[in-house]
Amino acid sequence: MASKEANLEALLYAAGDNGLEEQNLIEMLEIDGESLDKVAQNLQQKLTQDADSGLQLIHIAHTYKLTTSPQTAKIIEKYFQKDLTKNLSQSALEILAIVAYRQPITRVEIDDIRGVNSSGALQTLVWRGLIKADGKKDAPGHPKLYVTTDYFLQYFNYHSLADLPLIEDFADNDSNGEIDLFEAKGTADKQMQKEEE
């Protein structure tokens, strides 16, 4: 059975950039606030003392997060400068398609559609400038609403969101479920033009 420190580390890893609020951790780990502080201190000490660890535990505004440690800053900077994420992963493309067609949309709504946590790939898309937070939803917690950016249009060589292929075009698709939502550029514009005529 995993220790409380291991469980905390796993939860914070899974939570990604958003981290987890103290109250959620208290409930999930089934401990009180004082015990959580102690477990967090132990994990932070373990990460700090391990010279081979590139992670640190931070505590900001009642939220715990796992982040890269300051001593790894140069390699992380090199990673983003080199843009090793030039080719988007399948999960990032999935999220991008969901945002493009359902915007504005929250991360939780994206997670519900995909059935898995999307925070890591979502953050990659924000860093890449393909999507951005644009306001907050009028709902408990006021989650961020995500939309595509002008750079998204440029990246896929679109003039407007109307250039996105129509979802209906894929309804009778016989390609074993494999479709490329960014392949049929301009379909929506042509359809709108036909309707105007």
Side-chain angles (χ1 to χ4, degrees):
M1 190 165 137
S3 68
K4 296 287 186 196
E5 285 82 1
N7 285 335
L8 175 61
E9 187 175 20
L11 285 168
L12 294 177
Y13 175 81
D17 293 329
N18 293 329
L20 286 168
E21 290 185 7
E22 291 171 352
Q23 195 53 47
N24 291 332
L25 288 168
I26 287 169
E27 289 168 17
M28 285 187 275
L29 295 171
E30 299 174 353
I31 55 177
D32 59 31
E34 195 176 318
S35 299
L36 175 61
D37 287 344
K38 195 175 243 182
V39 170
Q41 285 173 9
N42 290 344
L43 177 58
Q44 176 58 30
Q45 191 173 18
K46 177 189 148 206
L47 293 171
T48 304
Q49 289 175 349
D50 183 357
D52 294 326
S53 175
L55 301 175
Q56 67 177 353
L57 176 68
I58 61 170
H59 185 215
I60 300 172
H62 306 292
T63 300
Y64 285 97
K65 299 180 182 189
L66 268 185
T67 66
T68 54
S69 61
Q71 52 268 39
T72 63
K74 285 187 180 175
I75 195 71
I76 296 299
E77 190 176 309
K78 190 187 272 189
Y79 169 77
F80 285 109
Q81 284 176 347
K82 199 156 178 68
D83 199 9
L84 297 177
T85 56
K86 193 132 188 112
N87 295 323
L88 294 172
S89 68
Q90 185 62 39
S91 62
L93 282 171
E94 267 179 32
I95 293 165
L96 194 53
I98 291 167
V99 173
Y101 282 94
R102 297 279 185 97
Q103 62 186 306
I105 189 168
T106 67
R107 183 187 60 80
V108 172
E109 291 166 338
I110 294 167
D111 291 351
D112 285 345
I113 292 168
R114 296 185 67 231
V116 292
N117 187 314
S118 305
S119 60
L122 190 67
Q123 194 58 51
T124 298
L125 292 170
V126 170
W127 283 330
R128 293 288 305 277
L130 293 167
I131 63 172
K132 65 179 180 180
D134 186 30
K136 295 184 182 259
K137 188 169 184 171
D138 188 16
H142 300 289
K144 292 178 184 174
L145 287 166
Y146 291 95
V147 297
T148 54
T149 62
D150 289 342
Y151 179 62
F152 163 82
L153 297 173
Q154 180 187 332
Y155 188 91
F156 289 101
N157 197 24
Y158 292 146
H159 294 293
S160 72
L161 288 174
D163 284 343
L164 284 170
L166 296 170
I167 293 289
E168 293 79 19
D169 292 348
F170 301 110
D172 299 320
N173 146 44
D174 58 357
S175 59
N176 299 324
E178 295 294 320
I179 58 175
D180 186 351
L181 293 175
F182 301 109
E183 170 179 71
K185 180 177 124 28
T187 307
D189 274 346
K190 288 174 191 165
Q191 184 65 30
M192 286 166 70
Q193 208 168 21
K194 278 183 195 172
E195 287 169 7
E196 284 172 7
E197 292 168 0

